[in-house]
Amino acid sequence: MEEKSHPLINTCNFAGVKPIMADLPYPETRVREKNRAYADLLSIDYCGGVSEMTAITQYINNENRLSCQKCPVAKTILGIAMAEMIHLQKLGELIFLLGGNIDFVAKYQGGKTRMWTPEGVSVTDDLWKMLLSDIEAEKDAIHQYRTHMKMINDEFVNAVLARIIKDEEYHIMLLQALKNEM
């Protein structure tokens, strides 16, 4: 007698998952004046190796890998990914206002450019390694934002970057809590 195969179903319900971010408003998205050099710096945060694009991709990949077995963790990871999407959107607005292009090309000093690729995404099925990688990526993003803030002399742009850092710090706290629960 042949065994009937049963469909595989993901029972993790993501309805109601919201962006996980610091409970603070974002400053108005504005710039003092157009500045292509500042737009180019933000393009790195937008789609460089350490970037919101990379973070979103890594978090969504992690959520996909966890959703069938570790639903509560997957929901947290998805909420963090949603916050990173808001960061990407804010950076895109700033780049546009500064006179830059939103084209998935990171523009580095000296004229070097690089189109976004997933090569900076950490891929693993091991939850411990996943969380460690996510924490390190958040720390790297904070360091890069702080470096760029020192190079940008526009209080409006820096206010948005400082607010994004608050979310990244909150994400580190959540990820460390998840790691500690293991």
Side-chain angles (χ1 to χ4, degrees):
M1 180 173 222
E2 228 176 279
E3 245 183 77
K4 274 190 170 181
S5 67
H6 298 285
L8 299 175
I9 300 171
N10 183 354
T11 59
C12 192
N13 184 346
F14 291 100
V17 174
K18 293 182 175 18
I20 296 177
M21 43 207 301
D23 190 17
L24 298 165
Y26 272 88
E28 183 178 32
T29 306
R30 59 190 281 198
V31 301
R32 188 180 320 133
E33 61 191 8
K34 287 190 177 206
N35 186 315
R36 192 61 185 251
Y38 295 169
D40 289 350
L41 279 175
L42 296 183
S43 76
I44 298 166
D45 300 319
Y46 188 87
C47 63
V50 173
S51 68
E52 298 300 336
M53 195 66 204
T54 300
I56 292 164
T57 305
Q58 182 163 311
Y59 282 123
I60 292 297
N61 184 278
N62 290 347
E63 175 271 316
N64 291 159
R65 290 169 180 277
L66 295 171
S67 66
C68 291
Q69 297 163 343
K70 302 205 180 310
C71 183
V73 176
K75 286 181 178 183
T76 299
I77 298 295
L78 179 59
I80 293 172
M82 294 165 79
E84 305 295 354
M85 290 177 203
I86 292 168
H87 300 166
L88 186 75
Q89 188 269 337
K90 296 286 183 196
L91 291 171
E93 285 181 355
L94 289 172
I95 291 166
F96 177 79
L97 291 172
L98 289 165
N101 294 323
I102 303 155
D103 54 8
F104 298 102
V105 174
K107 292 139 187 101
Y108 297 90
Q109 290 180 334
K112 181 182 172 204
T113 62
R114 182 163 182 164
M115 181 166 253
W116 185 83
T117 70
E119 88 181 20
V121 175
S122 173
V123 178
T124 180
D125 288 322
D126 181 279
L127 179 57
W128 181 263
K129 290 178 183 174
M130 198 181 282
L131 294 172
L132 284 176
S133 179
D134 291 345
I135 290 166
E136 284 309 307
E138 294 284 1
K139 288 178 180 179
D140 291 346
I142 290 168
H143 175 76
Q144 183 169 285
Y145 279 126
R146 286 185 175 143
T147 299
H148 288 171
M149 287 173 71
K150 290 175 186 168
M151 301 167 77
I152 295 172
N153 186 22
D154 184 318
E155 66 276 13
F156 303 118
V157 173
N158 284 338
V160 173
L161 298 182
R163 175 58 188 81
I164 290 172
I165 288 172
K166 297 283 186 201
D167 287 341
E168 308 299 21
E169 291 170 336
Y170 186 55
H171 296 162
I172 290 171
M173 182 193 73
L174 290 172
L175 293 164
Q176 286 176 329
L178 288 173
K179 190 171 67 83
N180 293 338
E181 288 174 11
M182 292 180 64

